[in-house]
Amino acid sequence: MSKTGTQWHESAAEVPELDENVLAKLPPGTKVLSIVPHGASLWVQTVRIDTCLPDGTLKTYFKKGGSGERGRMMMEGTFESETIFYSFVPKNVPRPIGWGTYKSDINNHFYICDFRDMIEDLPDIRKFSALIAKIHSDSMDKSPTGKFGFHVTTHLANIPNDNSWCNTWEEWYTTAMRRMMELEENSRGSDLELTEISKGLLEKVIPRLLRPLQTGGRSIKPCLVHSDLWPGNVMPDAETEEPIIFDSCGFWGHNEADLGTWRSPRYRLGKPYIKEYLKHIPMSAPVEDFDDRNALYAMRYNLLVSTMNKDGSLAHRQTFMSEAKRLLEKYPNGIDDFEDTAPQDPPRL
């Protein structure tokens, strides 16, 4: 958080060292006062940097870093994603400043932005839902290619997304789900029942639930999707209490995909937040499929958590399998189970 108007009167006995390439991203003449660990992450190193600008103003930055090619891709993806989100809601996203590679160690990479002081609490339901709806509506149909995807790789935690541009949402999501299935199996081991269920989900459930969005005269337009909206990435500003979103894993996709994380009880958002969001942007047609689409979007996050939880229980895999079985029983014939009927009233959540 920028502490504008506060003057620095003391001279530090020792000036902390900051890599030359990181310092080059800051205003010329910036003096580093302190560098301290801030936040917690299993995938990157995170620090708070307190500085004094040439005019005596104190300003604080946040920096995270990662090593190797994965780290480089994570830092680039973060900068590109956060920059686009900042362009739509600058008051609700820490201002991105830059990313790059350390001059002192070409194997280490960084991302730096303004520091925002936040409260570890759930965001206000009305403010948060309205904010996400604003991002979706303001970015609707502004994909630079008109397609679904993103121009660089972004990461859910440390898991890379295949953001290849696709003409249809069904194509993009099928690729994303297949990739997550592969990563989860590589992480947690193979299972014959899981393999069969996954095959059915890809070949039957996804076409049944996503193809109707863009057929029969219906359409959806790509909008900016954060894709990692859980309470760890959404917190109230300590001063204004406005919701701050960060650590986006952006891509251009179906707006309802951002509601997938809200479905899980572990994220403490749930139906109240979804209902509030739908006051701003109604369900996509066919509306009768909304809840099953939401379940489908949530399933990808169950696989994500299972992938990262290598030594833990298989509870998240079991949740995925249970939901997949339910949808396969409901739509055993895939897209052939779809009856193109007249528009219906939105289902009750």
Side-chain angles (χ1 to χ4, degrees), residues 23-66:
L23 191 61
K25 300 292 182 181
L26 307 182
T30 295
K31 293 182 179 180
V32 179
L33 306 177
S34 67
I35 305 173
V36 295
H38 184 85
S41 173
L42 295 174
W43 325 115
V44 295
Q45 298 80 44
T46 56
V47 298
R48 165 181 167 153
I49 304 171
D50 295 311
T51 72
C52 182
L53 301 183
D55 65 359
T57 300
L58 291 181
K59 187 168 178 64
T60 304
Y61 301 95
F62 175 82
K63 178 179 71 68
K64 63 181 180 179

mmCIF file of all heavy atoms in Angstrom, residues 23-66:
data_model
loop_
_atom_site.group_PDB
_atom_site.id
_atom_site.type_symbol
_atom_site.label_atom_id
_atom_site.label_comp_id
_atom_site.label_asym_id
_atom_site.label_seq_id
_atom_site.Cartn_x
_atom_site.Cartn_y
_atom_site.Cartn_z
ATOM 1 N N LEU A 23 15.358 -3.243 -8.538
ATOM 2 C CA LEU A 23 15.447 -1.819 -8.212
ATOM 3 C C LEU A 23 15.192 -0.951 -9.436
ATOM 4 O O LEU A 23 14.613 0.140 -9.340
ATOM 5 C CB LEU A 23 16.830 -1.523 -7.626
ATOM 6 C CG LEU A 23 17.036 -0.142 -6.993
ATOM 7 C CD1 LEU A 23 16.077 0.052 -5.833
ATOM 8 C CD2 LEU A 23 18.478 0.016 -6.520
ATOM 9 N N ALA A 24 15.565 -1.454 -10.607
ATOM 10 C CA ALA A 24 15.374 -0.690 -11.848
ATOM 11 C C ALA A 24 13.899 -0.507 -12.180
ATOM 12 O O ALA A 24 13.541 0.387 -12.969
ATOM 13 C CB ALA A 24 16.090 -1.380 -12.995
ATOM 14 N N LYS A 25 13.024 -1.327 -11.602
ATOM 15 C CA LYS A 25 11.587 -1.190 -11.844
ATOM 16 C C LYS A 25 10.972 -0.068 -11.008
ATOM 17 O O LYS A 25 9.841 0.354 -11.269
ATOM 18 C CB LYS A 25 10.869 -2.509 -11.525
ATOM 19 C CG LYS A 25 11.326 -3.704 -12.357
ATOM 20 C CD LYS A 25 10.944 -3.565 -13.808
ATOM 21 C CE LYS A 25 11.366 -4.803 -14.607
ATOM 22 N NZ LYS A 25 11.025 -4.669 -16.048
ATOM 23 N N LEU A 26 11.704 0.403 -10.005
ATOM 24 C CA LEU A 26 11.201 1.434 -9.105
ATOM 25 C C LEU A 26 11.651 2.817 -9.583
ATOM 26 O O LEU A 26 12.562 2.933 -10.406
ATOM 27 C CB LEU A 26 11.700 1.170 -7.683
ATOM 28 C CG LEU A 26 11.418 -0.240 -7.135
ATOM 29 C CD1 LEU A 26 11.916 -0.357 -5.698
ATOM 30 C CD2 LEU A 26 9.938 -0.578 -7.238
ATOM 31 N N PRO A 27 11.027 3.879 -9.099
ATOM 32 C CA PRO A 27 11.430 5.226 -9.516
ATOM 33 C C PRO A 27 12.904 5.481 -9.248
ATOM 34 O O PRO A 27 13.440 5.049 -8.212
ATOM 35 C CB PRO A 27 10.541 6.131 -8.643
ATOM 36 C CG PRO A 27 9.344 5.293 -8.325
ATOM 37 C CD PRO A 27 9.865 3.896 -8.189
ATOM 38 N N PRO A 28 13.587 6.158 -10.161
ATOM 39 C CA PRO A 28 15.013 6.461 -9.960
ATOM 40 C C PRO A 28 15.229 7.197 -8.641
ATOM 41 O O PRO A 28 14.469 8.096 -8.278
ATOM 42 C CB PRO A 28 15.347 7.361 -11.156
ATOM 43 C CG PRO A 28 14.350 6.980 -12.202
ATOM 44 C CD PRO A 28 13.089 6.660 -11.451
ATOM 45 N N GLY A 29 16.261 6.803 -7.920
ATOM 46 C CA GLY A 29 16.561 7.453 -6.658
ATOM 47 C C GLY A 29 15.863 6.849 -5.458
ATOM 48 O O GLY A 29 16.027 7.338 -4.333
ATOM 49 N N THR A 30 15.073 5.785 -5.673
ATOM 50 C CA THR A 30 14.382 5.129 -4.568
ATOM 51 C C THR A 30 15.387 4.499 -3.612
ATOM 52 O O THR A 30 16.327 3.827 -4.042
ATOM 53 C CB THR A 30 13.431 4.041 -5.091
ATOM 54 O OG1 THR A 30 12.399 4.657 -5.867
ATOM 55 C CG2 THR A 30 12.803 3.267 -3.948
ATOM 56 N N LYS A 31 15.203 4.721 -2.313
ATOM 57 C CA LYS A 31 16.052 4.102 -1.296
ATOM 58 C C LYS A 31 15.277 2.981 -0.613
ATOM 59 O O LYS A 31 14.148 3.177 -0.173
ATOM 60 C CB LYS A 31 16.493 5.137 -0.259
ATOM 61 C CG LYS A 31 17.420 6.203 -0.808
ATOM 62 C CD LYS A 31 17.862 7.158 0.295
ATOM 63 C CE LYS A 31 18.824 8.214 -0.257
ATOM 64 N NZ LYS A 31 19.265 9.151 0.813
ATOM 65 N N VAL A 32 15.886 1.818 -0.531
ATOM 66 C CA VAL A 32 15.260 0.679 0.127
ATOM 67 C C VAL A 32 15.528 0.754 1.624
ATOM 68 O O VAL A 32 16.679 0.858 2.054
ATOM 69 C CB VAL A 32 15.796 -0.649 -0.443
ATOM 70 C CG1 VAL A 32 15.158 -1.831 0.275
ATOM 71 C CG2 VAL A 32 15.535 -0.723 -1.938
ATOM 72 N N LEU A 33 14.458 0.715 2.422
ATOM 73 C CA LEU A 33 14.581 0.813 3.873
ATOM 74 C C LEU A 33 14.535 -0.547 4.550
ATOM 75 O O LEU A 33 15.251 -0.784 5.523
ATOM 76 C CB LEU A 33 13.465 1.702 4.429
ATOM 77 C CG LEU A 33 13.355 3.092 3.797
ATOM 78 C CD1 LEU A 33 12.163 3.830 4.377
ATOM 79 C CD2 LEU A 33 14.642 3.875 4.011
ATOM 80 N N SER A 34 13.682 -1.433 4.042
ATOM 81 C CA SER A 34 13.595 -2.760 4.649
ATOM 82 C C SER A 34 12.998 -3.742 3.662
ATOM 83 O O SER A 34 12.219 -3.358 2.778
ATOM 84 C CB SER A 34 12.751 -2.727 5.930
ATOM 85 O OG SER A 34 11.394 -2.445 5.628
ATOM 86 N N ILE A 35 13.375 -4.993 3.819
ATOM 87 C CA ILE A 35 12.823 -6.095 3.030
ATOM 88 C C ILE A 35 12.495 -7.204 4.021
ATOM 89 O O ILE A 35 13.396 -7.757 4.657
ATOM 90 C CB ILE A 35 13.823 -6.614 1.974
ATOM 91 C CG1 ILE A 35 14.298 -5.468 1.071
ATOM 92 C CG2 ILE A 35 13.193 -7.728 1.145
ATOM 93 C CD1 ILE A 35 15.411 -5.878 0.110
ATOM 94 N N VAL A 36 11.208 -7.495 4.168
ATOM 95 C CA VAL A 36 10.798 -8.490 5.158
ATOM 96 C C VAL A 36 9.829 -9.476 4.527
ATOM 97 O O VAL A 36 9.053 -9.123 3.627
ATOM 98 C CB VAL A 36 10.137 -7.821 6.382
ATOM 99 C CG1 VAL A 36 11.135 -6.953 7.125
ATOM 100 C CG2 VAL A 36 8.924 -7.003 5.962
ATOM 101 N N PRO A 37 9.843 -10.732 4.990
ATOM 102 C CA PRO A 37 8.876 -11.712 4.477
ATOM 103 C C PRO A 37 7.457 -11.236 4.729
ATOM 104 O O PRO A 37 7.159 -10.621 5.769
ATOM 105 C CB PRO A 37 9.198 -12.976 5.282
ATOM 106 C CG PRO A 37 10.611 -12.805 5.727
ATOM 107 C CD PRO A 37 10.774 -11.333 5.972
ATOM 108 N N HIS A 38 6.582 -11.512 3.780
ATOM 109 C CA HIS A 38 5.179 -11.104 3.943
ATOM 110 C C HIS A 38 4.288 -12.110 3.235
ATOM 111 O O HIS A 38 4.501 -12.441 2.065
ATOM 112 C CB HIS A 38 4.946 -9.711 3.355
ATOM 113 C CG HIS A 38 3.543 -9.217 3.584
ATOM 114 N ND1 HIS A 38 3.169 -8.588 4.755
ATOM 115 C CD2 HIS A 38 2.430 -9.284 2.816
ATOM 116 C CE1 HIS A 38 1.876 -8.277 4.682
ATOM 117 N NE2 HIS A 38 1.411 -8.694 3.510
ATOM 118 N N GLY A 39 3.276 -12.605 3.942
ATOM 119 C CA GLY A 39 2.370 -13.582 3.358
ATOM 120 C C GLY A 39 2.976 -14.971 3.406
ATOM 121 O O GLY A 39 4.093 -15.179 3.901
ATOM 122 N N ALA A 40 2.214 -15.916 2.885
ATOM 123 C CA ALA A 40 2.665 -17.305 2.881
ATOM 124 C C ALA A 40 2.287 -17.954 1.558
ATOM 125 O O ALA A 40 1.181 -17.766 1.055
ATOM 126 C CB ALA A 40 2.037 -18.076 4.037
ATOM 127 N N SER A 41 3.211 -18.682 0.980
ATOM 128 C CA SER A 41 2.967 -19.389 -0.266
ATOM 129 C C SER A 41 3.857 -20.621 -0.327
ATOM 130 O O SER A 41 5.018 -20.584 0.092
ATOM 131 C CB SER A 41 3.250 -18.488 -1.473
ATOM 132 O OG SER A 41 3.172 -19.226 -2.678
ATOM 133 N N LEU A 42 3.292 -21.709 -0.839
ATOM 134 C CA LEU A 42 4.069 -22.924 -1.015
ATOM 135 C C LEU A 42 4.872 -22.906 -2.307
ATOM 136 O O LEU A 42 5.762 -23.733 -2.502
ATOM 137 C CB LEU A 42 3.138 -24.144 -1.019
ATOM 138 C CG LEU A 42 2.382 -24.437 0.275
ATOM 139 C CD1 LEU A 42 1.401 -25.585 0.058
ATOM 140 C CD2 LEU A 42 3.342 -24.766 1.406
ATOM 141 N N TRP A 43 4.554 -21.950 -3.199
ATOM 142 C CA TRP A 43 5.102 -22.012 -4.560
ATOM 143 C C TRP A 43 6.096 -20.906 -4.860
ATOM 144 O O TRP A 43 6.936 -21.066 -5.740
ATOM 145 C CB TRP A 43 3.954 -21.950 -5.569
ATOM 146 C CG TRP A 43 2.731 -22.658 -5.082
ATOM 147 C CD1 TRP A 43 1.508 -22.109 -4.792
ATOM 148 C CD2 TRP A 43 2.598 -24.059 -4.802
ATOM 149 N NE1 TRP A 43 0.642 -23.071 -4.357
ATOM 150 C CE2 TRP A 43 1.276 -24.281 -4.358
ATOM 151 C CE3 TRP A 43 3.468 -25.143 -4.896
ATOM 152 C CZ2 TRP A 43 0.801 -25.539 -3.994
ATOM 153 C CZ3 TRP A 43 3.003 -26.407 -4.537
ATOM 154 C CH2 TRP A 43 1.695 -26.598 -4.092
ATOM 155 N N VAL A 44 5.984 -19.759 -4.177
ATOM 156 C CA VAL A 44 6.866 -18.626 -4.464
ATOM 157 C C VAL A 44 7.337 -17.994 -3.162
ATOM 158 O O VAL A 44 6.772 -18.239 -2.090
ATOM 159 C CB VAL A 44 6.149 -17.556 -5.322
ATOM 160 C CG1 VAL A 44 5.805 -18.101 -6.697
ATOM 161 C CG2 VAL A 44 4.882 -17.047 -4.622
ATOM 162 N N GLN A 45 8.391 -17.163 -3.265
ATOM 163 C CA GLN A 45 8.876 -16.408 -2.117
ATOM 164 C C GLN A 45 8.230 -15.022 -2.158
ATOM 165 O O GLN A 45 8.215 -14.370 -3.210
ATOM 166 C CB GLN A 45 10.397 -16.268 -2.151
ATOM 167 C CG GLN A 45 11.149 -17.600 -2.079
ATOM 168 C CD GLN A 45 11.200 -18.322 -3.411
ATOM 169 O OE1 GLN A 45 11.465 -17.703 -4.440
ATOM 170 N NE2 GLN A 45 10.957 -19.621 -3.404
ATOM 171 N N THR A 46 7.703 -14.555 -1.033
ATOM 172 C CA THR A 46 6.979 -13.292 -1.010
ATOM 173 C C THR A 46 7.562 -12.364 0.051
ATOM 174 O O THR A 46 7.822 -12.784 1.181
ATOM 175 C CB THR A 46 5.480 -13.515 -0.734
ATOM 176 O OG1 THR A 46 5.318 -14.253 0.492
ATOM 177 C CG2 THR A 46 4.853 -14.311 -1.855
ATOM 178 N N VAL A 47 7.787 -11.094 -0.322
ATOM 179 C CA VAL A 47 8.342 -10.121 0.612
ATOM 180 C C VAL A 47 7.659 -8.773 0.453
ATOM 181 O O VAL A 47 7.082 -8.454 -0.590
ATOM 182 C CB VAL A 47 9.865 -9.930 0.413
ATOM 183 C CG1 VAL A 47 10.620 -11.220 0.668
ATOM 184 C CG2 VAL A 47 10.165 -9.376 -0.977
ATOM 185 N N ARG A 48 7.745 -7.996 1.509
ATOM 186 C CA ARG A 48 7.313 -6.595 1.509
ATOM 187 C C ARG A 48 8.567 -5.734 1.476
ATOM 188 O O ARG A 48 9.532 -5.980 2.214
ATOM 189 C CB ARG A 48 6.487 -6.317 2.766
ATOM 190 C CG ARG A 48 6.278 -4.846 3.063
ATOM 191 C CD ARG A 48 5.462 -4.660 4.332
ATOM 192 N NE ARG A 48 5.515 -3.271 4.772
ATOM 193 C CZ ARG A 48 4.569 -2.687 5.487
ATOM 194 N NH1 ARG A 48 3.496 -3.367 5.857
ATOM 195 N NH2 ARG A 48 4.689 -1.422 5.854
ATOM 196 N N ILE A 49 8.534 -4.716 0.618
ATOM 197 C CA ILE A 49 9.687 -3.832 0.470
ATOM 198 C C ILE A 49 9.269 -2.414 0.845
ATOM 199 O O ILE A 49 8.419 -1.804 0.184
ATOM 200 C CB ILE A 49 10.219 -3.846 -0.977
ATOM 201 C CG1 ILE A 49 10.559 -5.272 -1.412
ATOM 202 C CG2 ILE A 49 11.441 -2.939 -1.106
ATOM 203 C CD1 ILE A 49 10.879 -5.396 -2.887
ATOM 204 N N ASP A 50 9.843 -1.886 1.907
ATOM 205 C CA ASP A 50 9.585 -0.502 2.311
ATOM 206 C C ASP A 50 10.660 0.391 1.722
ATOM 207 O O ASP A 50 11.857 0.103 1.838
ATOM 208 C CB ASP A 50 9.581 -0.382 3.831
ATOM 209 C CG ASP A 50 8.429 -1.147 4.463
ATOM 210 O OD1 ASP A 50 7.288 -0.979 4.001
ATOM 211 O OD2 ASP A 50 8.677 -1.939 5.396
ATOM 212 N N THR A 51 10.232 1.471 1.098
ATOM 213 C CA THR A 51 11.184 2.357 0.425
ATOM 214 C C THR A 51 10.905 3.817 0.771
ATOM 215 O O THR A 51 9.850 4.166 1.319
ATOM 216 C CB THR A 51 11.112 2.202 -1.108
ATOM 217 O OG1 THR A 51 9.891 2.788 -1.596
ATOM 218 C CG2 THR A 51 11.169 0.738 -1.515
ATOM 219 N N CYS A 52 11.858 4.646 0.419
ATOM 220 C CA CYS A 52 11.706 6.095 0.520
ATOM 221 C C CYS A 52 11.969 6.676 -0.861
ATOM 222 O O CYS A 52 13.048 6.461 -1.432
ATOM 223 C CB CYS A 52 12.684 6.660 1.546
ATOM 224 S SG CYS A 52 12.543 8.452 1.783
ATOM 225 N N LEU A 53 10.998 7.380 -1.404
ATOM 226 C CA LEU A 53 11.142 7.989 -2.720
ATOM 227 C C LEU A 53 12.005 9.241 -2.625
ATOM 228 O O LEU A 53 12.224 9.772 -1.527
ATOM 229 C CB LEU A 53 9.768 8.323 -3.291
ATOM 230 C CG LEU A 53 8.796 7.144 -3.456
ATOM 231 C CD1 LEU A 53 7.503 7.606 -4.091
ATOM 232 C CD2 LEU A 53 9.422 6.009 -4.263
ATOM 233 N N PRO A 54 12.504 9.733 -3.749
ATOM 234 C CA PRO A 54 13.396 10.903 -3.726
ATOM 235 C C PRO A 54 12.800 12.130 -3.034
ATOM 236 O O PRO A 54 13.548 12.939 -2.455
ATOM 237 C CB PRO A 54 13.647 11.173 -5.212
ATOM 238 C CG PRO A 54 13.518 9.834 -5.857
ATOM 239 C CD PRO A 54 12.419 9.144 -5.104
ATOM 240 N N ASP A 55 11.462 12.274 -3.048
ATOM 241 C CA ASP A 55 10.851 13.432 -2.394
ATOM 242 C C ASP A 55 10.595 13.196 -0.911
ATOM 243 O O ASP A 55 9.988 14.032 -0.233
ATOM 244 C CB ASP A 55 9.551 13.826 -3.100
ATOM 245 C CG ASP A 55 8.481 12.743 -2.995
ATOM 246 O OD1 ASP A 55 8.747 11.679 -2.389
ATOM 247 O OD2 ASP A 55 7.364 12.952 -3.519
ATOM 248 N N GLY A 56 11.036 12.046 -0.382
ATOM 249 C CA GLY A 56 10.867 11.759 1.038
ATOM 250 C C GLY A 56 9.629 10.976 1.381
ATOM 251 O O GLY A 56 9.410 10.608 2.535
ATOM 252 N N THR A 57 8.809 10.692 0.385
ATOM 253 C CA THR A 57 7.587 9.934 0.617
ATOM 254 C C THR A 57 7.898 8.454 0.819
ATOM 255 O O THR A 57 8.691 7.876 0.080
ATOM 256 C CB THR A 57 6.619 10.083 -0.584
ATOM 257 O OG1 THR A 57 6.301 11.454 -0.755
ATOM 258 C CG2 THR A 57 5.347 9.281 -0.365
ATOM 259 N N LEU A 58 7.256 7.860 1.814
ATOM 260 C CA LEU A 58 7.387 6.427 2.018
ATOM 261 C C LEU A 58 6.460 5.691 1.066
ATOM 262 O O LEU A 58 5.317 6.097 0.864
ATOM 263 C CB LEU A 58 7.020 6.048 3.460
ATOM 264 C CG LEU A 58 7.962 6.505 4.573
ATOM 265 C CD1 LEU A 58 7.428 6.017 5.912
ATOM 266 C CD2 LEU A 58 9.365 5.981 4.341
ATOM 267 N N LYS A 59 6.955 4.630 0.487
ATOM 268 C CA LYS A 59 6.122 3.808 -0.377
ATOM 269 C C LYS A 59 6.517 2.347 -0.189
ATOM 270 O O LYS A 59 7.695 2.029 -0.050
ATOM 271 C CB LYS A 59 6.250 4.201 -1.843
ATOM 272 C CG LYS A 59 5.264 3.467 -2.744
ATOM 273 C CD LYS A 59 5.210 4.074 -4.118
ATOM 274 C CE LYS A 59 4.252 3.313 -5.026
ATOM 275 N NZ LYS A 59 2.854 3.382 -4.566
ATOM 276 N N THR A 60 5.493 1.486 -0.197
ATOM 277 C CA THR A 60 5.719 0.066 0.053
ATOM 278 C C THR A 60 5.316 -0.753 -1.164
ATOM 279 O O THR A 60 4.299 -0.482 -1.804
ATOM 280 C CB THR A 60 4.912 -0.396 1.285
ATOM 281 O OG1 THR A 60 5.261 0.430 2.390
ATOM 282 C CG2 THR A 60 5.229 -1.839 1.630
ATOM 283 N N TYR A 61 6.131 -1.758 -1.452
ATOM 284 C CA TYR A 61 5.883 -2.649 -2.585
ATOM 285 C C TYR A 61 5.792 -4.090 -2.106
ATOM 286 O O TYR A 61 6.250 -4.444 -1.009
ATOM 287 C CB TYR A 61 7.014 -2.523 -3.615
ATOM 288 C CG TYR A 61 7.199 -1.142 -4.179
ATOM 289 C CD1 TYR A 61 8.135 -0.268 -3.627
ATOM 290 C CD2 TYR A 61 6.439 -0.702 -5.265
ATOM 291 C CE1 TYR A 61 8.307 1.003 -4.148
ATOM 292 C CE2 TYR A 61 6.611 0.567 -5.786
ATOM 293 C CZ TYR A 61 7.545 1.420 -5.220
ATOM 294 O OH TYR A 61 7.713 2.680 -5.730
ATOM 295 N N PHE A 62 5.214 -4.898 -2.946
ATOM 296 C CA PHE A 62 5.136 -6.343 -2.696
ATOM 297 C C PHE A 62 5.842 -7.047 -3.845
ATOM 298 O O PHE A 62 5.636 -6.708 -5.013
ATOM 299 C CB PHE A 62 3.678 -6.799 -2.626
ATOM 300 C CG PHE A 62 3.508 -8.293 -2.501
ATOM 301 C CD1 PHE A 62 3.622 -8.920 -1.271
ATOM 302 C CD2 PHE A 62 3.243 -9.074 -3.617
ATOM 303 C CE1 PHE A 62 3.474 -10.293 -1.143
ATOM 304 C CE2 PHE A 62 3.091 -10.451 -3.510
ATOM 305 C CZ PHE A 62 3.213 -11.063 -2.269
ATOM 306 N N LYS A 63 6.674 -8.023 -3.487
ATOM 307 C CA LYS A 63 7.401 -8.758 -4.522
ATOM 308 C C LYS A 63 7.295 -10.260 -4.258
ATOM 309 O O LYS A 63 7.351 -10.708 -3.117
ATOM 310 C CB LYS A 63 8.884 -8.364 -4.535
ATOM 311 C CG LYS A 63 9.727 -9.118 -5.562
ATOM 312 C CD LYS A 63 11.182 -8.671 -5.537
ATOM 313 C CE LYS A 63 11.910 -9.142 -4.293
ATOM 314 N NZ LYS A 63 12.090 -10.629 -4.274
ATOM 315 N N LYS A 64 7.115 -11.002 -5.332
ATOM 316 C CA LYS A 64 7.210 -12.448 -5.215
ATOM 317 C C LYS A 64 8.172 -12.966 -6.276
ATOM 318 O O LYS A 64 8.423 -12.300 -7.292
ATOM 319 C CB LYS A 64 5.846 -13.121 -5.346
ATOM 320 C CG LYS A 64 5.127 -12.951 -6.668
ATOM 321 C CD LYS A 64 3.775 -13.675 -6.593
ATOM 322 C CE LYS A 64 2.988 -13.557 -7.884
ATOM 323 N NZ LYS A 64 1.686 -14.276 -7.797
ATOM 324 N N GLY A 65 8.730 -14.144 -6.009
ATOM 325 C CA GLY A 65 9.724 -14.669 -6.935
ATOM 326 C C GLY A 65 9.688 -16.176 -7.018
ATOM 327 O O GLY A 65 9.196 -16.865 -6.118
ATOM 328 N N GLY A 66 10.174 -16.690 -8.138
ATOM 329 C CA GLY A 66 10.247 -18.125 -8.361
ATOM 330 C C GLY A 66 11.475 -18.459 -9.187
ATOM 331 O O GLY A 66 12.045 -17.594 -9.861
#
